[in-house]
Amino acid sequence: MKKTLAALLAGTMVAALTACGGSGSSAPASGENQTSSEDTKKENSPGTGGSGSYTLKINTALSETDPLFLALTEVFEKTVEEKTDGDVQVEVYSGSQLGNDEDVLEQAIVGAGVGVVTDPGRLSNYVYDIGVLQAPYIAESYDEALKLFETETYKKMETEIENSGFQILSFNYYQGERELFTKNPVAGPDDLKGQRIRSSGSQVVTSTLEAMGANTSVLAWSEAYQALQQQVIEGVEVHLSAAVGSSMQEVTKYLAFTGHQQLLTGLIISQSWYSKLPEEYQTILKDASFEAGKAASENVIAKNDEYLKTLTDGGIEVIECDKEAFKTACDKVYDELRYTEVKAAIDAELGR
């Protein structure tokens, strides 16, 4: 949740401490006036101990009721602040309040104390091959998706991501299968022809949807509800928890369980900012992120039936779809995106 009041109070306390010869600074809350050059210098410097030497702002596109958001606040934030005795302060923002994923990634790459929960497709703008981890039907279950991130092929990509200016805290935030929510029934690829489906803008997502038969419109997730309401698009591809969090049952009528992606996302922060932390704090952040991802994933899986009931009670009709036809239609995506070789390497490591 956005912590504007907390940030203002923190600013008042910092000013009082400075007047008394104390040290420490806090990053300005969104919308506050620009800090002085001396404040900026302090913010970008490594902390020297004491309360709030470091502030990390985490951005998500999700609602505050989403299991992933709750895990970030109740597990990641609390664990980090407790284990660093408040020296690292964590602020978690819902609804893309800090901007879209690409904006936050650009802030991180230049060293800002920000992070974002994002997918491999967006990271492919920096390390192209990592997008294969979000390619259609590369995994068909949560357990199978987790195995992708244990391969040497992934570990090489992880090193390249860190060399690009990012730090992956963990990549185990499972948000569920991606399904189709539409205004018109979709049982197979032919039914998607001519329908405008929202894409995140990631090339792998856009190519997947187009291979499945759709036309695509790139929109921020925060704009999807209104776009459906105004008939700008006819559908979205999204996991059940986010569909409930954004009330898709109010603006779509049909759900097709295409399962075209198993969405595992990662908590990505600035490598430059991370490198300034004491080694002990770096370990705390990584361990806390992994535990938060595990908690979020277990919660998502446990609540899927509840999410489906909420959607169907709200008027969504589940359509029996031809999943095999969608899989066949998506085969060409690997050739189109030049992922054939990296997929073969992953398949060889997993013995499939």
Side-chain angles (χ1 to χ4, degrees):
M1 67 185 65
K2 190 169 181 181
K3 302 181 177 178
T4 306
L5 180 58
L8 288 170
L9 290 173
T12 303
M13 293 175 67
V14 168
L17 286 169
T18 303
C20 297
S23 63
S25 65
S26 176
S30 175
E32 289 182 2
N33 293 331
Q34 186 175 2
T35 59
S36 67
S37 59
E38 183 62 27
D39 288 337
T40 302
K41 182 178 178 181
K42 287 180 183 178
E43 181 179 328
N44 292 333
S45 301
T48 56
S51 179
S53 296
Y54 308 90
T55 299
L56 179 61
K57 299 182 178 184
I58 303 297
N59 191 60
T60 81
L62 304 170
S63 72
E64 294 182 7
T65 59
D66 190 276
L68 190 147
F69 182 89
L70 293 173
L72 286 170
T73 55
E74 296 174 4
V75 180
F76 182 73
E77 178 181 338
K78 287 183 179 179
T79 301
V80 169
E81 292 184 355
E82 286 174 5
K83 291 194 172 182
T84 64
D85 293 325
D87 210 18
V88 178
Q89 292 291 307
V90 177
E91 300 175 4
V92 185
Y93 293 79
S94 61
S96 299
Q97 292 181 61
L98 299 183
N100 60 39
D101 286 12
E102 290 80 6
D103 290 340
V104 179
L105 287 170
E106 287 303 307
Q107 293 173 46
I109 209 169
V110 296
V114 296
V116 62
V117 177
T118 196
D119 57 73
R122 286 189 174 89
L123 291 177
S124 68
N125 292 324
Y126 304 92
V127 175
Y128 185 76
D129 280 352
I130 201 169
V132 75
L133 300 173
Q134 199 178 355
Y137 301 106
I138 194 165
E140 295 196 42
S141 69
Y142 168 58
D143 290 336
E144 192 174 344
L146 279 178
K147 291 178 182 177
L148 299 175
F149 294 86
E150 297 172 359
T151 62
E152 290 302 316
T153 303
Y154 164 71
K155 291 174 184 176
K156 290 177 183 177
M157 297 174 188
E158 184 178 34
T159 299
E160 292 178 40
I161 287 291
E162 292 174 2
N163 290 338
S164 299
F166 301 112
Q167 179 64 46
I168 300 174
L169 293 183
S170 71
F171 226 117
N172 65 329
Y173 291 82
Y174 182 61
Q175 298 187 44
E177 283 192 353
R178 302 287 276 193
E179 322 291 4
L180 287 177
F181 286 81
T182 54
K183 290 180 175 293
N184 305 302
V186 173
D190 287 345
D191 296 325
L192 265 183
K193 289 180 180 177
Q195 293 203 46
R196 295 162 296 176
I197 306 298
R198 177 259 177 188
S199 169
S200 64
S202 158
Q203 186 57 56
V204 68
V205 173
T206 297
S207 294
T208 297
L209 288 171
E210 291 178 352
M212 292 168 73
N215 295 332
T216 55
S217 294
V218 175
L219 293 169
W221 178 246
S222 58
E223 299 172 6
Y225 184 97
Q226 186 175 26
L228 286 161
Q229 203 172 39
Q230 297 177 349
Q231 310 293 326
V232 174
I233 56 176
E234 281 83 49
V236 296
E237 55 93 38
V238 71
H239 45 286
L240 298 187
S241 62
V244 170
S246 296
S247 302
M248 286 296 108
Q249 68 273 22
E250 297 177 358
V251 285
T252 61
K253 295 180 179 180
Y254 302 99
L255 164 59
F257 280 98
T258 53
H260 51 278
Q261 290 172 345
Q262 302 293 328
L263 186 59
L264 268 173
T265 50
L267 178 49
I268 316 299
I269 67 172
S270 166
Q271 212 287 324
S272 174
W273 183 88
Y274 176 83
S275 68
K276 295 174 183 176
L277 296 174
E279 187 174 343
E280 176 189 0
Y281 289 2
Q282 293 177 359
T283 300
I284 289 171
L285 259 67
K286 279 194 166 186
D287 289 348
S289 179
F290 182 84
E291 290 304 317
K294 183 179 176 182
S297 302
E298 290 173 352
N299 202 3
V300 164
I301 293 168
K303 287 190 171 183
N304 265 344
D305 288 344
E306 178 184 325
Y307 294 137
L308 181 58
K309 185 176 187 305
T310 298
L311 292 164
T312 54
D313 286 351
I316 290 286
E317 179 182 346
V318 177
I319 299 297
E320 190 73 31
C321 72
D322 188 347
K323 188 173 179 178
E324 290 303 314
F326 282 116
K327 288 178 67 175
T328 300
C330 287
D331 284 345
K332 63 182 180 181
V333 172
Y334 290 90
D335 289 332
E336 288 178 359
L337 297 183
R338 307 187 310 280
Y339 284 151
T340 305
E341 288 186 13
V342 67
K343 180 181 184 296
I346 289 172
D347 286 346
E349 284 195 69
L350 296 179
R352 61 185 191 186

